[in-house]
Amino acid sequence: MQKERQSLVTVTIDGRQVIARAGQTVLEVAREAGIRVPTLCYLERLEPIGACRLCVVEVDGLPAPVTACTTPVQEGMVVRTRSPFLEEMRRETLKLLFLRHPMNCGPCEASGRCPLEDLAYEYDISPGEVQDYGVGPVELAEQPWATPLIRYHPRRCILCGRCVKACEEVAGIGAIVFMGRGASTRVGPVEPTPEFSPQCVSCGECLSVCPTNALVESLGQPKGKPWELKEVRTVCPYCGVGCEMVLQVRGDRVVGVASVADGRSGADTSVNRGALCVKGRFGYEFINHPDRLRRPLVRREGGFEEVSWEEALDLVARQLKEVIARHGADAVAGLASAKATNEENYLFQKLMRGVIGTNNVDHCARLCHSVTVAGLAAAFGSGAMTNSISEIEDTNLILITGTNTAENHPVIGSVIRRAVQRRRARLIVVDPLRTDLVECAHLWLRPRPGTDVAWINGLIHVIIAEGLWNWKYVEERTEGFEELKAAVAPFTPEYVSRVTGIPADDLVRAARMYATAGKAMILFAMGITQHACGTDNVKALANLAMLCGYVGIEGGGVNPLRGQNNVQGACDMGCLPNVLPGYQRVDDGQARARFEQAWATGVRIPERPGLTLTEMTPAVLDGRIRAMYIMGENPVLSDPNASHVEQALRRLDFLVVQDIFLTETARLADVVLPAASFAEKDGTFTNTERRVQRVRKAVNPPGEARADWEIIRDLAAAMGCPMPYRSPEDVFAELAALTPSYAGMSYDRLEQGGLQWPCPDRQHPGTKVLHRDRFLRGRGRFFAVGFRPPAELPDEAYPLVLSTGRIRYHYHTGTMTRRSRGLHRMAPEERIQVHPADAARLGLGDGDRARVISRRGEVTARVELSDRVAPGIVFATFHFHEVPVNRLTSDALDPEGKIPELKFCAVRLEKVPEGATRVPPKALEQEAAREGLSAG
């Protein structure tokens, strides 16, 4: 109590006595007391700048006014925010700003929400008064900005410094600075030096904080005045961070994206605190793109023909019934979607299990984090992220492995930068690639691809050998320690160095840093999971965290970063072949009975688990699967050994695809059903930290397109099994009643902000940290895992290793991002990254075309010379249909999670001579097929 009293001070502001907290600024205390002090440069989520000089106040005992935003309160302080002298100071300051800033507010899109315009009105400043200074307006030519996606108007710029601060503090980059002197001062990109060369990541954070419209989208269309816009708060449709954002709507078109934290849409309770990445801020144009599907399509005579919904759904229902009658329900398989809402995924698996009668349902989690679910569930009892994103800034050490976080989860990447730069957290990066976060890491370990179990076991070996493990935690909360100790005994630093290429001293240093941190977070993604030993990799990380007692504490845990916006939710909703919603096993009779009773009289859910996504392709080819229903997935580009996948899809008796564009997969379908995008429907997404958040409808779908939940409902009715839902809220109420971890959630509660599962009842606040007092399985289990080399190794014919992944500017198979002009401008084509040493040996220069050939196929693309990859490794993405990289990748599977080894396959490179036009036969076949479809 004494400490609490000491932390409070009494100040007097404008004659009112106010209780304040020590450390608060005068401005913060005034605002809490409802006393308005004008500002232009101040923004709550940035450190005070004090540049605009409009928040000046008088303080008794001080000789001159001070800026309220930078002055801390003190006991007994007496402050005046209004006086004739202060008002005149503010008026003169504003007049000086208008020497630079034109006073033609009418045509400006910011008019109506511009604080400078409001202050000019409040202080009654006219153009004539500005000219009385005897100088004309400052002339400044338009200047280039740090990214081509943003245009800078220097005359509108009031030099408030918000953009510079936001780039430094929120994005953690520091790519822009003040330049010039006096009247020529402006803001511009940092000039690189050998010591400091920050790269703008085009996140648009600067644009979002600009108060005077000096920064605008360079490719954006006119958005309209504030009173012409409807603003709808929703969740980003890209990666798994779950950033909340505001869609700006004019008429029935999305014309822009704004941050939640800029005051547009109430208090900021978002996981991203207003920050967005380049995709979230500039990747919205696909919503209105002319390529959007508008009416159902049916294949006839080699092409597609538009038909009514009634005809399309009747055909789908008839064909599925026919396959079931001839071959049984297990001859049908379905792929749900990590891009669809929880409600839609719940209905999809309900359709497959309750209407069709099969557990053959899966989705793209099989390709990214199926082994995470398998490994963490075995070790902890739950396969989800154990901790929360906000804890990254409060931990002592961060170990990042198998994730290019700054590119694939950019907002979390910025959080990590802030944790290191401002909170003094230690950072260890373990990755074969030189990722962006290596530059701020305290230690970078660069293992050979496919050797993760070896280096993780090596860390554990050192920690045990040096007595650094948390013996009390291990004894009280875990089992299997002796087996683990025996398993890691051979993994000495010297042995691990021979296997992985990591220097033994660095391995020892990393082990000591991690074990002595007090609390440490492990973040990982598909560089760990996409291996034939992916489950073992995840179990090894769980071993490491438990050994040091870092599971069940804030700022600790094992934290998978999910790749798509609702891949966590699709798993939660039971879009997996072995579990019902809430991870209730299909072979659990009591669980099946609960769902059967809730769904309909006579429903019988099969007891036997179905086929995984990666098992479906061979099942099609051997005749076990005859029909498929694919919702919002594009396996022709995203799945391994993609030629094999395409061959299987062509062999099906019947294929129905439901999507927003005519994707490469949809082009092979018998029926294509046009779906609504995230901006055109209500629902919920669940992000990587288990946070369930509301998605809200902003515009209507194009043409006759429908929300996925409506299509599934109507298809069920066409098959004779009506689902009487009137809204997504009805669906959510049902799934929450049947899913214990969602039981305490409702749309009413989610309107107040997201909730993290488990949330078992209506009074529960949600769960920030899993396994606090006990593991879900009781005791955490150590697994003795050994090192196994990758399934396919390089040889003389294929001497290089191909690793695949994503880049900052695109997402998945590019169907959305490549239809957004800004993102396409930043990355218009595939570039295969090759180390300069390998390129020199092969006679390749930067920008040359090369064939990349594996045992399964070949592609041709331009080369980018880069030391981000180590010698012997090449890196490519799967974003570009012109370069279908997954025609190369291996379909070797992890035995438990059935994930393919997308991070390791053997290839060779061949230079393509200038003028050569050779195209692989498969590509010609595909192009011919496309031409036929277009003609239809």
Side-chain angles (χ1 to χ4, degrees):
M1 184 66 72
Q2 183 64 28
K3 283 185 178 179
E4 190 174 315
R5 277 199 294 268
Q6 288 176 350
S7 68
L8 300 178
V9 296
T10 302
V11 299
T12 302
I13 303 179
D14 292 345
R16 288 173 52 189
Q17 209 170 63
V18 180
I19 305 298
R21 297 182 298 281
Q24 283 188 292
T25 65
V26 171
L27 180 62
E28 289 171 331
V29 176
R31 287 189 167 188
E32 286 185 3
I35 299 170
R36 179 178 170 271
V37 180
T39 64
L40 275 175
C41 66
Y42 180 78
L43 200 61
E44 196 169 307
R45 61 194 176 116
L46 301 177
E47 290 293 319
I49 303 170
C52 71
R53 317 299 294 177
L54 286 172
C55 69
V56 288
V57 296
E58 295 173 323
V59 179
D60 282 2
L62 296 182
V66 295
T67 49
C69 67
T70 61
T71 303
V73 294
Q74 297 178 8
E75 176 63 38
M77 180 182 276
V78 178
V79 180
R80 284 176 298 282
T81 68
R82 299 278 175 176
S83 72
F85 177 65
L86 290 175
E87 294 299 277
E88 186 59 28
M89 276 189 69
R90 289 169 183 152
R91 205 166 185 281
E92 292 303 310
T93 298
L94 286 168
K95 288 165 69 175
L96 288 171
L97 290 178
F98 282 115
L99 278 176
R100 178 188 187 99
H101 188 95
M103 292 193 73
N104 58 337
C105 298
C108 181
E109 283 188 352
S111 179
R113 60 172 174 82
C114 173
L116 183 61
E117 179 187 33
D118 294 341
L119 287 168
Y121 179 80
E122 179 181 349
Y123 284 88
D124 193 24
I125 296 173
S126 67
E129 289 183 277
V130 175
Q131 293 171 3
D132 286 345
Y133 275 97
V135 295
V138 176
E139 293 297 332
L140 290 167
E142 192 170 308
Q143 301 289 330
W145 198 242
T147 170
L149 302 187
I150 295 173
R151 181 181 295 123
Y152 175 51
H153 296 278
R155 282 205 60 203
R156 297 180 192 169
C157 178
I158 60 172
L159 303 176
C160 66
R162 279 188 182 186
C163 57
V164 176
K165 275 281 189 180
C167 185
E168 178 186 332
E169 294 179 9
V170 180
I173 301 297
I176 51 176
V177 292
F178 286 110
M179 309 177 76
R181 300 181 65 182
S184 298
T185 304
R186 64 190 189 280
V187 180
V190 170
E191 294 185 7
T193 67
E195 295 79 24
F196 184 61
S197 182
Q199 296 295 316
C200 174
V201 295
S202 304
C203 66
E205 203 61 50
C206 52
L207 181 151
S208 76
V209 300
C210 179
T212 59
N213 214 34
L215 297 173
V216 297
E217 289 183 50
S218 61
L219 299 179
Q221 297 177 347
K223 292 178 172 40
K225 296 297 181 68
W227 54 86
E228 297 177 295
L229 299 178
K230 177 178 72 172
E231 300 197 321
V232 180
R233 184 168 178 160
T234 190
V235 179
C236 179
Y238 290 114
C239 80
V241 177
C243 296
E244 285 197 90
M245 61 193 206
V246 173
L247 295 181
Q248 299 174 314
V249 179
R250 186 182 186 190
D252 202 31
R253 289 177 63 87
V254 174
V255 295
V257 170
S259 297
V260 169
D262 60 8
R264 283 178 164 85
S265 190
D268 177 25
T269 59
S270 59
V271 65
N272 52 311
R273 303 178 195 173
L276 292 171
C277 76
V278 62
K279 292 189 290 292
R281 196 175 304 279
F282 299 108
Y284 61 87
E285 289 184 322
F286 76 91
I287 299 167
N288 308 318
H289 200 277
D291 287 351
R292 286 288 303 276
L293 293 170
R294 285 165 167 74
R295 295 195 69 197
L297 303 175
V298 171
R299 181 182 297 281
R300 287 181 180 148
E301 298 180 0
F304 280 133
E305 180 181 316
E306 291 186 346
V307 299
S308 68
W309 271 105
E310 182 180 13
E311 183 178 348
L313 292 176
D314 284 347
L315 175 59
V316 173
R318 188 167 65 251
Q319 291 286 342
L320 291 178
K321 285 180 178 179
E322 187 174 317
V323 169
I324 294 168
R326 288 185 177 183
H327 306 286
D330 283 340
V332 180
L335 295 181
S337 178
K339 304 178 193 72
T341 65
N342 288 320
E343 294 79 358
E344 291 162 341
N345 281 298
Y346 172 83
L347 289 189
F348 189 90
Q349 62 84 36
K350 180 176 180 178
L351 176 83
M352 296 303 297
R353 291 183 166 115
V355 178
I356 293 173
T358 182
N359 284 318
N360 289 339
V361 57
D362 207 354
H363 71 293
C364 69
R366 188 63 49 195
L367 305 176
C368 57
H369 278 287
S370 57
V371 295
T372 294
V373 176
L376 294 186
F380 302 156
S382 169
M385 187 170 173
T386 60
N387 290 66
S388 301
I389 294 168
S390 61
E391 295 168 50
I392 294 172
E393 290 193 77
D394 295 320
T395 192
N396 297 332
L397 183 141
I398 307 160
L399 192 161
I400 301 175
T401 180
T403 163
N404 188 356
T405 317
E407 292 214 27
N408 296 339
H409 302 87
V411 170
I412 294 181
S414 296
V415 174
I416 293 167
R417 287 184 186 274
R418 290 200 300 272
V420 173
Q421 295 168 356
R422 304 178 66 197
R423 305 282 184 172
R424 299 295 183 263
R426 308 272 281 170
L427 175 62
I428 300 173
V429 175
V430 189
D431 204 294
L433 302 180
R434 181 189 290 273
T435 63
D436 285 0
L437 289 176
V438 166
E439 67 186 42
C440 62
H442 296 86
L443 182 61
W444 174 35
L445 307 182
R446 192 175 206 174
R448 297 186 182 103
T451 62
D452 298 297
V453 166
W455 68 259
I456 300 168
N457 278 358
L459 295 181
I460 294 171
H461 174 100
V462 174
I463 291 168
I464 293 175
E466 297 192 0
L468 301 176
W469 52 289
N470 190 332
W471 62 268
K472 188 173 186 291
Y473 182 97
V474 169
E475 184 177 284
E476 293 178 355
R477 296 199 54 185
T478 69
E479 61 189 18
F481 172 72
E482 292 301 327
E483 292 84 349
L484 173 70
K485 184 177 179 181
V488 301
F491 289 84
T492 63
E494 294 72 26
Y495 168 73
V496 171
S497 182
R498 289 195 298 272
V499 172
T500 67
I502 296 171
D505 289 346
D506 285 350
L507 187 82
V508 173
R509 183 182 167 203
R512 292 170 180 167
M513 286 173 63
Y514 181 81
T516 61
K519 55 181 178 179
M521 296 182 78
I522 295 174
L523 305 180
F524 72 94
M526 285 167 274
I528 284 289
T529 62
Q530 288 179 333
H531 293 276
C533 59
T535 303
D536 285 350
N537 289 348
V538 174
K539 287 177 178 177
L541 289 176
N543 290 342
L544 177 62
M546 287 190 293
L547 183 69
C548 297
Y550 293 159
V551 182
I553 64 169
E554 290 203 23
V558 182
N559 301 284
L561 303 181
R562 309 305 290 259
Q564 296 199 41
N565 57 307
N566 200 36
V567 67
Q568 181 65 58
C571 292
D572 296 347
M573 293 301 103
C575 292
L576 299 168
N578 61 327
V579 293
L580 294 156
Y583 306 97
Q584 300 170 81
R585 296 180 60 86
V586 296
D587 57 10
D588 180 339
Q590 291 184 339
R592 289 200 314 278
R594 281 194 296 274
F595 283 89
E596 289 168 351
Q597 183 178 4
W599 285 354
T601 303
V603 168
R604 289 293 178 265
I605 298 171
E607 177 181 358
R608 186 177 67 183
L611 297 174
T612 65
L613 179 154
T614 45
E615 293 171 322
M616 289 176 185
T617 295
V620 173
L621 293 172
D622 67 21
R624 284 177 290 149
I625 290 179
R626 299 302 186 100
M628 288 190 72
Y629 180 9
I630 299 177
M631 176 177 74
E633 296 285 349
N634 192 12
V636 167
L637 287 187
S638 64
D639 288 15
N641 196 0
S643 297
H644 203 50
V645 173
E646 183 175 336
Q647 179 187 357
L649 294 178
R650 290 181 183 277
R651 191 172 293 188
L652 286 166
D653 294 347
F654 182 70
L655 173 62
V656 56
V657 174
Q658 186 169 304
D659 216 316
I660 64 175
F661 293 108
L662 193 65
T663 64
E664 288 69 24
T665 301
R667 291 175 184 274
L668 305 179
D670 297 290
V671 177
V672 179
L673 303 176
S677 76
F678 85 107
E680 298 149 359
K681 59 190 175 186
D682 289 301
T684 57
F685 291 155
T686 305
N687 80 339
T688 191
E689 61 173 2
R690 301 169 280 106
R691 185 181 299 273
V692 183
Q693 301 180 105
R694 281 281 281 114
V695 179
R696 297 173 180 88
K697 181 177 179 178
V699 293
N700 290 310
E704 298 178 17
R706 297 180 181 178
D708 292 289
W709 73 269
E710 294 176 298
I711 299 172
I712 298 166
R713 177 197 62 187
D714 296 345
L715 176 57
M719 296 187 72
C721 300
M723 296 180 179
Y725 305 108
R726 295 170 298 174
S727 68
E729 187 171 5
D730 291 346
V731 182
F732 191 88
E734 179 178 304
L735 72 86
L738 291 168
T739 308
S741 56
Y742 282 61
M745 300 184 195
S746 66
Y747 271 35
D748 285 343
R749 289 197 71 189
L750 294 174
E751 282 299 323
Q752 309 308 311
L755 290 167
Q756 289 173 273
W757 66 255
C759 180
D761 59 64
R762 293 299 175 94
Q763 285 70 49
H764 198 282
T767 304
K768 184 177 180 181
V769 179
L770 295 180
H771 318 299
R772 275 191 189 270
D773 302 313
R774 65 184 298 275
F775 288 94
L776 190 62
R777 69 179 301 278
R779 282 177 171 265
R781 182 180 172 188
F782 289 112
F783 283 88
V785 294
F787 169 65
R788 288 183 287 122
E792 178 180 273
L793 296 173
D795 57 19
E796 288 187 12
Y798 302 96
L800 302 173
V801 172
L802 170 68
S803 185
T804 64
R806 305 201 313 243
I807 57 174
R808 176 179 286 112
Y809 301 105
H810 287 300
Y811 173 71
H812 209 239
T813 60
T815 54
M816 300 190 300
T817 51
R818 294 193 67 199
R819 288 178 171 90
S820 295
R821 290 175 300 161
L823 302 178
H824 180 71
R825 178 175 181 176
M826 298 303 293
E829 64 177 353
E830 177 62 50
R831 290 285 182 130
I832 307 289
Q833 293 183 19
V834 181
H835 192 274
D838 293 325
R841 179 172 51 82
L842 296 167
L844 288 168
D846 199 57
D848 285 350
R849 294 171 67 231
R851 276 190 288 274
V852 188
I853 306 166
S854 78
R855 294 178 174 92
R856 287 154 294 279
E858 65 177 77
V859 298
T860 300
R862 295 201 179 275
V863 165
E864 176 186 337
L865 303 190
S866 174
D867 65 357
R868 290 169 64 91
V869 295
I873 301 174
V874 295
F875 176 84
T877 77
F878 58 101
H879 303 313
F880 297 87
H881 67 79
E882 303 91 339
V883 186
V885 165
N886 276 318
R887 293 187 182 277
L888 310 176
T889 50
S890 169
D891 51 9
L893 302 181
D894 175 271
E896 291 185 61
K898 307 298 182 184
I899 198 169
E901 193 152 53
L902 291 165
K903 286 293 182 282
F904 197 110
C905 81
V907 299
R908 70 173 182 269
L909 263 62
E910 296 178 354
K911 184 174 181 178
V912 176
E914 286 300 319
T917 58
R918 178 189 170 194
V919 179
K922 212 32 147 171
L924 290 172
E925 178 187 330
Q926 187 179 31
E927 191 59 36
R930 284 184 183 168
E931 291 300 322
L933 294 176
S934 300

